[in-house]
Amino acid sequence: MKKTIKYSILGVIAGAMLASCETDPETGLVRLTHYATFDLTGGEIYSVPIGGSYSEPGVVCMEGTEDISDKVKTTIYDITGQVVNSIKTDEITFYNVEYSAVNVDGFSSSATRTVFIYNPEVKGSCAGTFDVDMNNTTYGGNPIFDEATKRGYKTSAEITVTELCPGIFYINDFLAGWYEQMRGIGASYAMYGYFKLNPDNTIDLMYSHVNGWGDGLDYIQNGKWDEETGTLSYESGYAGVIYINPVLIRK
């Protein structure tokens, strides 16, 4: 995907500061420059039921105390990261709507709203904090506990699933914490992303990404949510050679 997103950073992306100092090349004097800031009407996450209609909620953009909303450029990206002209609601998916503006000194900043198209028929929820079942989760066909022990890795991991709207969820690591937590190489190697829960409690991959390597999963298959036991399970493939089949137990 050309446009990388992450649920925890969907807010304003306005550089390190909202205002900073710069030196005027003509006078040599230091003066204050204000970056454009954005207030997204309706919030950073916006949901529309499948078959419904999307009306742009709008954005208020300020440069210091000046309203520059009329200078905002709006760009829509589909789930593949391609620029599109409009948001369609005929299938379960999501779009990123990017608002950008350039201040008087030529500095740009932006904010992003994620628009989810969801299925209102989905009534269940698999949100929560999960322990990785180390004996039933497999890595390359072997219990992940055995693989972690053999390699000297940590033998436990915890996964978080967050509900964004009915039937659409954010997961902080599709790979059951294998790289980030068990191997211990850091948050940049967690495979975060989105999946959808269907009315029959099967799950399907929507989007995945790992910042450390800049790619995502090859697939997810045989995904399901067992409400009675609080078990989320699926088979995943990554990089053509890594097969991790997580079994996650909700706490």
Side-chain angles (χ1 to χ4, degrees):
M1 177 176 279
K2 296 180 179 179
K3 186 74 179 173
T4 301
I5 62 173
K6 187 172 182 180
Y7 172 63
S8 62
I9 57 169
L10 287 177
V12 174
I13 308 171
M17 298 177 290
L18 300 181
S20 65
C21 297
E22 66 162 13
T23 301
D24 190 307
E26 295 183 2
T27 65
L29 298 176
V30 176
R31 61 190 178 85
L32 188 68
T33 184
H34 292 277
Y35 286 88
T37 60
F38 303 83
D39 182 10
L40 305 184
T41 306
E44 298 166 357
I45 295 178
Y46 197 88
S47 57
V48 181
I50 190 169
S53 60
Y54 173 76
S55 298
E56 169 57 44
V59 59
V60 176
C61 182
M62 302 294 293
E63 182 179 341
T65 58
E66 181 184 358
D67 188 331
I68 61 168
S69 300
D70 59 342
K71 297 180 180 179
V72 173
K73 176 184 177 182
T74 302
T75 307
I76 303 172
Y77 298 88
D78 68 11
I79 196 170
T80 70
Q82 301 298 311
V83 176
V84 295
N85 294 324
S86 62
I87 290 177
K88 298 180 180 180
T89 65
D90 56 348
E91 64 177 323
I92 299 170
T93 186
F94 67 81
Y95 296 84
N96 288 307
V97 183
E98 182 184 73
Y99 307 93
S100 59
V102 179
N103 73 359
V104 68
D105 296 309
F107 294 102
S108 63
S109 54
S110 64
T112 301
R113 186 197 318 274
T114 303
V115 179
F116 292 96
I117 313 303
Y118 70 95
N119 183 355
E121 294 183 5
V122 177
K123 305 302 181 183
S125 175
C126 55
T129 302
F130 293 76
D131 285 324
V132 176
D133 184 333
M134 297 295 292
N135 292 313
N136 291 306
T137 296
T138 61
Y139 178 99
N142 300 316
I144 205 167
F145 178 86
D146 295 345
E147 290 295 323
T149 300
K150 179 175 64 178
R151 301 166 191 236
Y153 298 167
K154 182 181 176 183
T155 54
S156 64
E158 185 177 275
I159 304 301
T160 301
V161 175
T162 304
E163 185 172 10
L164 303 177
C165 61
I168 297 181
F169 299 84
Y170 170 84
I171 184 170
N172 69 333
D173 193 353
F174 276 115
L175 295 179
W178 175 253
Y179 293 104
E180 178 194 6
Q181 298 178 56
M182 296 183 211
R183 187 172 172 181
I185 59 176
S188 293
Y189 295 91
M191 182 75 73
Y192 67 86
Y194 303 94
F195 66 87
K196 63 179 179 178
L197 177 67
N198 302 309
D200 63 357
N201 281 341
T202 59
I203 69 168
D204 295 310
L205 175 67
M206 297 181 71
Y207 169 80
S208 63
H209 190 80
V210 57
N211 290 330
W213 290 301
D215 55 11
L217 292 172
D218 297 334
Y219 63 82
I220 276 183
Q221 62 186 19
N222 297 322
K224 60 182 179 181
W225 163 242
D226 188 325
E227 181 73 41
E228 184 175 348
T229 63
T231 302
L232 181 66
S233 60
Y234 51 88
E235 301 168 3
S236 68
Y238 175 52
V241 294
I242 300 170
Y243 306 100
I244 297 179
N245 301 336
V247 177
L248 311 176
I249 309 299
R250 187 161 65 181
K251 292 186 174 183

